[in-house]
Amino acid sequence: MTVLPDDGLSLAAEFPDATHEQWQRLVEGVLRKSGKEVSGGAAEDALSTTLEDGLRTRPLYTARDAAPDPGLPGFAPFTRGGRPEGSTAGGWDVRQRHAALGDGTVLADLENGVTSLWLVLGEGGIPVADLGRALDGVYLDLAPVVLDAGADTETAAAALLRLYEERGVAPEAVRGSLGADPLGHEARTGTPLDFAPVAALAKQVAETYPGLRTLTVDALPYHEAGGSAAQELGASLATAVAYLRELTEAGLSVEQAAAQLEFRYAATADQFLTVAKLRAARRLWARVAEVCGAPGAQTQHVVTSPVMMSRRDPWVNMLRTTVATLAAGVGGADSVTVLPFDHALGLPDAFARRIARNTSTILLEESHLARVIDPAGGSWYVERLTAELAEAAWEFFRSIEQDGGQAAVLRSGRLREDLAKTWRERSAKLAKRREPITGVSEFPFLAEKPVVREPAPEPRSGGLPRVRRDEAYEALRTRSDAHLAATGSRPRVYLATLGPAAEHSARASFAANLFQAGGIEPVTAGKFEDSGATEAVLCSSDSRYAEEAERAAEALRTAGARHVALAGRPAAYTGVDSYVFAGCDAVAVLSATLDRMGVS
């Protein structure tokens, strides 16, 4: 008998290790039962998922999936974090965004977990003249302030620096950023800004305020225009390189110039892609800094994605932002802004702001997320995804540089078209519900009362568009709302179920879910002529359709149905006008249905 070491994990030590090939054969057997005849690598490919930027995630990662050495936290290439201690000492900086003055909102945030302030000033935000009032009662030596003032950056920066002086804050105690971002402003508005005032500010800050930064490399305009993760990273790198060139030409050293930059990225509910994006961003910037002769870590401010926020069933946004915040923390973000769940509806109320700041608090204090410096480190999946995303982003960055740099691709329209192409491809997936939106395209709740908020200031516009995942479905729901307001009821569709519940319930549920995504109320009870509907959908099994579909369609037409659809794959049933099925273009189906119903 073999005596095994007493390590507590030796139960299966006497058995041989399973091989990758054995696993593949097991997968082949499972797929074969579902009707797919595949073998070897094809079995693995069948379970792989295609992402944007030409990336694919595979169902299994092993030690064979080698990735470049990520190094150690606090050391180049900084993949594992910009600081040796990570966020273990005090967690990440909890940064709250303010775009309007509200009674006590700034102090309420600071008294309840927020550690820094992000103030949107000027166009689309708080008037610069009200900066002092916005910061009334704030201990400026304790709470870092980050400005976002667009064309008013010079005036806003002067006002903030004057406040520091008037309130007796020592220059070495000043923390935060003046938020200058000329290329980001141009991306938002289409209007170029002179860099000379920014360079002058940077020289002043570098000489006087060692803890303050002058520029923000904001990647949100590219994310909000529909860009992919690689495009977001590539555009941010190109922007940062442009700023380095401008600052060094103005007389700053490379080290001083690099120290003036803070990077801003979006975090989405795709947690692994977000983790990989932040890790890849640090690795890419480390490479740029190394080439420029200024090795150093990237400082990251991460914001939960505005693109993912839905206007219908906005409560689900709390879940989305929680996952996104978790990903930002695991990815090594230095500062995190959680947008309130009602961000897409207007100015957030006190409850929404409280939930937003408490999201970070729970993850830090109750989930202990910051106690491990790099929780994702060593994961074959994350390390490989990080490497592949970095390569895709680097290629996009190089293509921008080859076309003359960030300013050139913005002004030529090339970047706009790149982002638009990505968004068109993603929109097709959203329309077909291959990328579901919970509460919107999946499991909508038509009876929910709308959440109403005070209008927020109009954001800066005129440049790249701002997109949202829910925009196509929101347009459909708005048409339904108008019909409800005008007639007292929503447009309706009758679900004609055939056979026992075991045969029709799955497709009836599918059809109900589909039509509610467009604001169309499904009716299942009673007869068609009593439903108030003008269209009907047959719901049952394929075998039942073969026996009864044509007869049922004829009966519905006799009862007054103007259009008869069938829940199932397209076939050739007489009397059936259209088919709805998993993977169909839901937006096109719903839009056509509302058109036929006369809902404008």
Side-chain angles (χ1 to χ4, degrees):
M1 182 177 69
T2 303
V3 178
L4 300 173
D6 186 15
D7 60 3
L9 299 171
S10 57
L11 186 61
E14 61 196 51
F15 297 99
D17 291 336
T19 66
H20 196 98
E21 290 69 26
Q22 287 176 313
W23 173 81
Q24 285 182 333
R25 285 196 293 273
L26 290 175
V27 171
E28 290 169 23
V30 174
L31 291 175
R32 197 172 295 116
K33 291 178 181 178
S34 65
K36 294 182 179 179
E37 287 293 335
V38 293
S39 61
E44 208 161 337
D45 288 340
L47 296 178
S48 296
T49 302
T50 301
L51 307 177
E52 292 173 332
D53 304 311
L55 306 180
R56 282 175 67 82
T57 56
R58 297 189 293 280
L60 180 70
Y61 287 81
T62 68
R64 301 190 306 178
D65 298 293
D69 183 2
L72 293 171
F75 294 89
F78 303 104
T79 304
R80 304 195 67 186
R83 296 169 292 172
E85 77 282 8
S87 298
T88 56
W92 55 79
D93 170 30
V94 180
R95 183 174 295 174
Q96 199 73 349
R97 181 180 183 273
H98 291 262
L101 278 179
D103 293 336
T105 55
V106 169
L107 289 179
D109 281 346
L110 291 171
E111 290 167 358
N112 291 280
V114 167
T115 54
S116 72
L117 301 171
W118 174 15
L119 303 180
V120 181
L121 303 176
E123 182 186 358
I126 302 165
V128 175
D130 289 337
L131 177 61
R133 189 155 67 93
L135 295 175
D136 189 30
V138 175
Y139 292 102
L140 295 178
D141 54 340
L142 299 179
V145 176
V146 174
L147 302 183
D148 183 356
D152 298 311
T153 294
E154 189 178 3
T155 305
L160 181 60
L161 295 179
R162 188 166 54 250
L163 272 180
Y164 284 128
E165 185 177 353
E166 291 172 353
R167 297 187 186 181
V169 180
E172 60 272 15
V174 173
R175 297 288 184 275
S177 172
L178 300 180
D181 186 17
L183 289 175
H185 177 77
E186 185 171 349
R188 289 286 195 204
T189 66
T191 303
L193 292 179
D194 183 13
F195 197 87
V198 176
L201 268 177
K203 291 177 71 174
Q204 178 187 359
V205 168
E207 294 168 359
T208 311
Y209 302 95
L212 186 63
R213 297 174 187 270
T214 304
L215 290 113
T216 297
V217 179
D218 191 355
L220 289 184
Y222 318 111
H223 171 76
E224 290 187 75
S228 66
Q231 289 171 330
E232 185 182 347
L233 292 178
S236 72
L237 279 185
T239 300
V241 167
Y243 291 164
L244 283 184
R245 292 187 181 118
E246 293 279 5
L247 292 175
T248 52
E249 288 176 7
L252 277 72
S253 68
V254 176
E255 292 83 354
Q256 287 176 320
Q260 292 301 306
L261 306 181
E262 179 178 74
F263 292 73
R264 182 177 293 146
Y265 295 111
T268 73
D270 189 335
Q271 60 182 345
F272 291 111
L273 189 59
T274 296
V275 171
K277 179 168 70 175
L278 300 183
R279 299 171 99 245
R282 288 192 297 271
R283 177 185 163 194
L284 292 167
W285 180 241
R287 178 58 179 153
V288 170
E290 180 186 18
V291 171
C292 295
Q298 182 186 73
T299 300
Q300 293 179 338
H301 171 206
V302 179
V303 184
T304 56
S305 167
V307 176
M308 73 178 179
M309 305 290 265
S310 63
R311 286 160 280 194
R312 305 288 170 156
D313 200 357
W315 318 103
V316 181
N317 291 332
M318 297 185 204
L319 306 178
R320 296 187 179 104
T321 55
T322 299
V323 176
T325 306
L326 181 148
V330 171
D334 299 288
S335 303
V336 179
T337 295
V338 181
L339 295 180
F341 73 87
D342 52 2
H343 174 79
L345 300 172
L347 291 176
D349 66 4
F351 171 71
R353 300 193 71 86
R354 177 163 61 89
I355 293 297
R357 61 180 180 251
N358 283 349
T359 300
S360 280
T361 301
I362 288 173
L363 292 172
L364 288 168
E365 303 297 335
E366 297 188 24
S367 298
H368 310 301
L369 195 62
R371 289 194 179 182
V372 176
I373 295 172
D374 180 23
S379 162
W380 292 314
Y381 170 40
V382 173
E383 299 290 8
R384 191 65 206 163
L385 184 59
T386 298
E388 292 173 353
L389 179 57
E391 291 170 5
W394 187 259
E395 286 305 309
F396 190 71
F397 161 63
R398 289 182 59 200
S399 74
I400 292 175
E401 290 295 288
Q402 289 167 359
D403 281 354
Q406 183 69 359
V409 297
L410 275 173
R411 293 164 193 171
S412 70
R414 176 237 143 144
L415 183 59
R416 175 188 288 268
E417 181 50 40
D418 285 347
L419 302 177
K421 181 176 183 293
T422 299
W423 181 243
R424 285 194 297 270
E425 293 171 354
R426 189 176 180 191
S427 294
K429 294 179 181 178
L430 289 163
K432 294 181 178 181
R433 302 195 296 176
R434 290 175 179 166
E435 182 182 335
I437 310 172
T438 304
V440 178
S441 67
E442 297 285 355
F443 313 115
F445 180 41
L446 289 187
E448 182 184 29
K449 294 182 179 179
V451 177
V452 179
R453 294 288 184 264
E454 291 183 36
E458 284 296 320
R460 302 172 193 127
S461 60
L464 296 175
R466 294 175 188 258
V467 302
R468 294 187 188 275
R469 290 197 310 159
D470 69 348
E471 58 189 24
Y473 295 95
E474 178 64 20
L476 295 169
R477 293 287 295 273
T478 298
R479 292 172 67 179
S480 172
D481 289 348
H483 188 271
L484 174 63
T487 66
S489 64
R490 292 195 180 276
R492 295 178 177 177
V493 63
Y494 182 73
L495 304 187
T497 55
L498 308 178
E503 290 189 35
H504 66 64
S505 59
R507 280 176 168 159
S509 296
F510 164 81
N513 192 37
L514 170 68
F515 284 98
Q516 286 181 96
I520 302 170
E521 181 183 349
V523 180
T524 56
K527 298 179 179 180
F528 173 82
E529 47 266 43
D530 301 323
S531 67
T534 59
E535 301 197 2
V537 182
L538 297 172
C539 304
S540 193
S541 64
D542 289 342
S543 58
R544 181 72 61 175
Y545 288 151
E547 297 175 3
E548 301 182 23
E550 294 185 353
R551 186 167 60 253
E554 183 180 356
L556 287 167
R557 289 193 181 281
T558 301
R562 301 174 192 168
H563 186 98
V564 178
L566 181 145
R569 287 288 170 183
Y573 295 115
T574 301
V576 174
D577 300 298
S578 63
Y579 298 82
V580 293
F581 50 90
C584 70
D585 189 329
V587 171
V589 167
L590 296 170
S591 182
T593 302
L594 290 174
D595 289 344
R596 290 192 301 269
M597 293 177 175
V599 179
S600 58

